[in-house]
């Protein structure tokens, strides 16, 4: 009977933890929406709000035991708003797994949260990547990276954060964009963000029918895209996703 009571208490604690993190996730999505609306008129204030939110996430992540981190949500919603939050949480988890300092995690989290902010400057038809894009449409889609950096500059974000934002589509083999940077020229935060961004896009694509499971995404990246990503970062990500099994603790 005492074991049953202990199990019931544990389950109740887990439910409370999950409810709290779901609230955090929903709050982060609402924060992103407000920030998008606020940046044109109050860029610096938006940056300060972003820092405060990321500081909260980093503090929770560093303060909680691994088994209690449940920051990603299964709830359905507009992918354009959920994607930056998913990428931010996964990037922070990976940064923590790679022993980044609290300051490094904060800068990585800000870059992850804002990496796609430039898409707000694009026409609706090219805001999300599509395999049916014409070459001019694809070039317009690629320009979201530059737009993101311009907005980050207006927000007076540190240069290293702007650099990480600018590298979220750069690949280790030089096949990325917009500058075809490769190898050591890509900073560690940029390598983390590029991998997590690609993974999340595979799990939650614009067309749900093309989605793959987290396990399939990792397998495809390892088997077919290994040259595009940093080996150390990819190995750490695969190990981390074993610690936080998709569908239980990290929920995509």
């Amino acid at each position: 009977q005492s074991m049953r009571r202990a199990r019931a208490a544990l389950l109740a604690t887990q439910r409370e933890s999950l409810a709290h993190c779901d609230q955090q996730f929903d709050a982060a999505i609402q924060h992103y929406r407000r920030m998008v609306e606020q940046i044109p008129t109050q860029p610096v204030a938006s940056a300060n709000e972003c820092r405060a939110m990321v500081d909260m996430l980093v503090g929770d992540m560093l303060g909680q035991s691994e088994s209690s981190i449940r920051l990603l949500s299964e709830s359905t919603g507009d992918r354009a708003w959920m994607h930056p939050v998913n990428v931010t949480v996964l990037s922070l988890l990976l940064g923590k797994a790679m022993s980044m300092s609290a300051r490094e995690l904060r800068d990585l989290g800000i870059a992850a949260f804002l990496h796609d902010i430039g898409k707000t400057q694009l026409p609706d038809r090219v805001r999300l990547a599509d395999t049916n894009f014409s070459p001019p449409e694809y070039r317009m889609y690629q320009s979201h990276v530059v737009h993101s950096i311009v907005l980050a500059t207006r927000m007076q974000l540190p240069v290293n954060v702007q650099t990480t934002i600018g590298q979220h589509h750069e690949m280790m083999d030089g096949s990325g964009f917009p500058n075809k940077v490769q190898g050591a020229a890509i900073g560690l935060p940029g390598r983390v963000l590029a991998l997590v961004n690609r993974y999340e896009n595979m799990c939650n694509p614009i067309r749900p029918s093309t989605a793959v499971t987290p396990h399939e995404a990792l397998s495809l990246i390892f088997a077919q895209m290994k040259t595009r990503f940093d080996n150390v970062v990819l190995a750490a990500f695969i190990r981390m996703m074993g610690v936080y099994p998709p569908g239980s603790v990290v929920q995509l």
Side-chain angles (χ1 to χ4, degrees):
Q1 189 173 3
S2 61
M3 290 181 65
R4 283 200 300 270
R5 283 198 298 268
R7 178 172 173 76
L10 177 60
L11 289 174
T13 300
Q14 289 177 339
R15 282 194 296 268
E16 289 174 8
S17 174
L18 183 55
H20 170 69
C21 291
D22 280 343
Q23 290 172 359
Q24 278 188 304
F25 186 90
D26 291 339
I29 290 176
Q30 294 306 315
H31 178 87
Y32 192 83
R33 287 176 180 269
R34 288 195 305 272
M35 196 175 58
V36 167
E37 296 171 356
Q38 189 180 29
I39 284 175
T41 57
Q42 302 179 64
V44 176
S46 296
N48 290 335
E49 289 185 18
C50 178
R51 288 190 187 95
M53 192 208 70
V54 171
D55 280 344
M56 179 190 68
L57 289 177
V58 171
D60 280 358
M61 196 168 294
L62 294 179
Q64 292 181 10
S65 64
E66 291 181 346
S67 61
S68 67
I69 297 175
R70 298 167 179 259
L71 293 175
L72 300 187
S73 174
E74 288 182 318
S75 59
T76 57
D78 188 332
R79 183 193 179 282
W81 307 116
M82 295 176 66
H83 173 72
V85 180
N86 282 341
V87 169
T88 299
V89 173
L90 279 175
S91 294
L92 289 175
L93 286 169
L94 181 52
K96 179 188 175 186
M98 298 190 73
S99 301
M100 287 187 177
S101 68
R103 176 61 183 270
E104 290 169 330
L105 287 174
R106 187 180 80 159
D107 288 349
L108 172 61
I110 293 171
F113 196 62
L114 299 175
H115 74 280
D116 271 348
I117 200 74
K119 288 183 177 179
T120 60
Q121 309 298 300
L122 301 182
D124 287 345
R125 73 178 190 279
V126 295
R127 193 163 290 168
L128 299 175
D130 193 312
T131 54
N132 295 322
F133 275 165
S134 65
E137 287 174 330
Y138 188 55
R139 285 193 294 273
M140 188 178 294
Y141 164 77
Q142 290 180 323
S143 74
H144 79 267
V145 178
V146 174
H147 287 301
S148 292
I149 296 172
V150 169
L151 291 175
T153 303
R154 291 179 188 165
M155 297 171 78
Q156 298 181 16
L157 296 175
V159 173
N160 63 309
V161 173
Q162 295 181 35
T163 299
T164 301
I165 291 172
Q167 293 179 343
H168 78 270
H169 278 292
E170 299 290 2
M171 300 287 125
M172 293 295 288
D173 60 2
S175 64
F177 65 87
N179 297 317
K180 297 192 179 299
V181 181
Q182 59 182 310
I186 305 173
L188 177 59
R191 300 178 198 185
V192 168
L193 184 52
L195 173 60
V196 170
N197 183 57
R198 183 73 182 101
Y199 169 86
E200 211 283 326
N201 280 329
M202 293 171 72
C203 293
N204 296 298
I206 182 175
R207 298 182 182 183
S209 61
T210 64
V212 298
T213 68
H215 176 76
E216 289 169 338
L218 287 175
S219 298
L220 286 168
I221 290 172
F222 187 79
Q224 301 177 13
M225 310 175 198
K226 195 157 49 174
T227 59
R228 303 182 196 176
F229 301 103
D230 181 89
N231 289 335
V232 175
V233 174
L234 179 55
F237 190 54
I238 291 171
R239 285 196 304 272
M240 184 192 85
M241 296 306 283
V243 173
Y244 306 113
S248 57
V249 178
V250 172
Q251 299 175 354
L252 277 178

